[in-house]
Amino acid sequence: MCLFLFGIVAVPVCHGQVITEDARAWAADALKKEKSLQTIEGDKTLAVLYFNNRTGQSGLDALQKGLTFMLITDLSTVNGLQVVERVKLQALTDEMRLGVSGLVDAGSVPRVGRLLGAEWLVGGDISGDEGERLYVESSLLDVSDTQVLGQPSAEGLLANFFKVEKDLLFRIIALLNIELTPEERARLEKPLTTDMKALLDLFNAIQASDQENYEK
């Protein structure tokens, strides 16, 4: 079943977003074979974890998966970088019964990285003040030795969340020492949409899909 966002753009989110039985079977098998798992062979394999909503505003919970979705969408187009699919992350989250907060717990992160076959992990927190300003703080982790390679951050108004994501995106790319061509940078600078309501509708649709509430 396909979900569509109607706003500035119409985006099909059926491909690569619905958690299939194959994805759930992969997660169950990964846990069974956990002791023998290694990172994916090859350079530059990255998994983007969900972000914790620390704003105290439950209405912004959709940003937890939404920011991850945006980063994966952009990073997946970067030449030479392998990015773990979000459906694998969600299937593993469900299988381990971790939830968003447990997934990014300091003790769980290295284990999650190995299970996902990732060389690097990035995730973090979204906080905010009493106004509309948001702050995103994240960490880029080398899974093999649990070394923190950097702590990229970004901030901005909720209405400009698309810009906050872009600022964080380019800081992650810089920490990975990836050089972008002018054409690649121009492509990545283009937002999915500048309509915040449309973005929140998309993020809520992803959450509903994860909960198998396809009608919603």
Side-chain angles (χ1 to χ4, degrees), residues 1 3 18-21 24 65 90 94 205-216:
M1 179 176 292
L3 306 175
V18 173
I19 314 305
T20 63
E21 289 305 313
R24 297 191 190 283
K65 292 184 178 180
Q90 184 60 44
D94 293 342
I206 291 172
Q207 174 63 12
S209 175
D210 288 349
Q211 296 171 346
E212 300 184 353
N213 188 349
Y214 301 124
E215 182 177 355
K216 181 178 180 180

Side-chain angles (χ1 to χ4, degrees), residues 4-198:
F4 285 87
L5 162 68
F6 295 98
I8 301 286
V9 291
V11 181
V13 260
C14 52
H15 179 68
Q17 293 307 317
V18 173
I19 314 305
T20 63
E21 289 305 313
D22 285 346
R24 297 191 190 283
W26 167 84
D29 190 56
L31 284 172
K32 289 179 183 177
K33 299 177 179 178
E34 182 174 0
K35 290 184 179 180
S36 63
L37 288 175
Q38 302 295 327
T39 57
I40 296 174
E41 293 183 2
D43 295 331
K44 297 181 172 61
T45 303
L46 174 70
V48 184
L49 302 182
Y50 294 138
F51 286 74
N52 263 321
N53 176 17
R54 303 290 192 187
T55 66
Q57 303 177 59
S58 59
L60 297 180
D61 282 349
L63 299 182
Q64 298 179 127
K65 292 184 178 180
L67 179 55
T68 299
F69 168 81
M70 294 172 79
L71 288 170
I72 289 176
T73 300
D74 280 338
L75 289 166
S76 294
T77 70
V78 174
N79 187 36
L81 182 64
Q82 297 182 75
V83 181
V84 177
E85 297 175 353
R86 193 196 71 85
V87 291
K88 284 192 171 183
L89 173 66
Q90 184 60 44
L92 189 63
T93 302
D94 293 342
E95 188 69 23
M96 298 175 74
R97 295 178 174 83
L98 287 174
V100 172
S101 59
L103 183 66
V104 296
D105 179 82
S108 301
V109 166
R111 182 188 179 198
V112 169
R114 289 191 297 272
L115 288 165
L116 290 172
E119 181 180 353
W120 300 321
L121 287 180
V122 65
D125 296 327
I126 302 171
S127 58
D129 53 30
E130 294 181 357
E132 291 283 307
R133 197 161 191 84
L134 297 175
Y135 305 89
V136 180
E137 298 176 314
S138 64
S139 294
L140 179 63
L141 180 76
D142 186 306
V143 174
S144 62
D145 58 10
T146 65
Q147 178 184 357
V148 175
L149 303 179
Q151 295 180 305
S153 62
E155 62 180 89
L157 297 176
L158 173 61
N160 295 329
F161 190 68
F162 61 92
K163 185 177 184 303
V164 175
E165 184 268 338
K166 294 299 184 184
D167 289 345
L168 185 63
L169 167 71
F170 287 114
R171 285 167 186 159
I172 292 170
I173 290 173
L175 281 172
L176 293 173
N177 295 317
I178 296 175
E179 294 187 12
L180 300 172
T181 66
E183 293 77 16
E184 288 174 325
R185 181 171 290 275
R187 184 185 70 246
L188 286 170
E189 285 175 346
K190 185 177 180 180
L192 174 66
T193 177
T194 58
D195 184 331
M196 193 58 208
K197 181 182 182 303

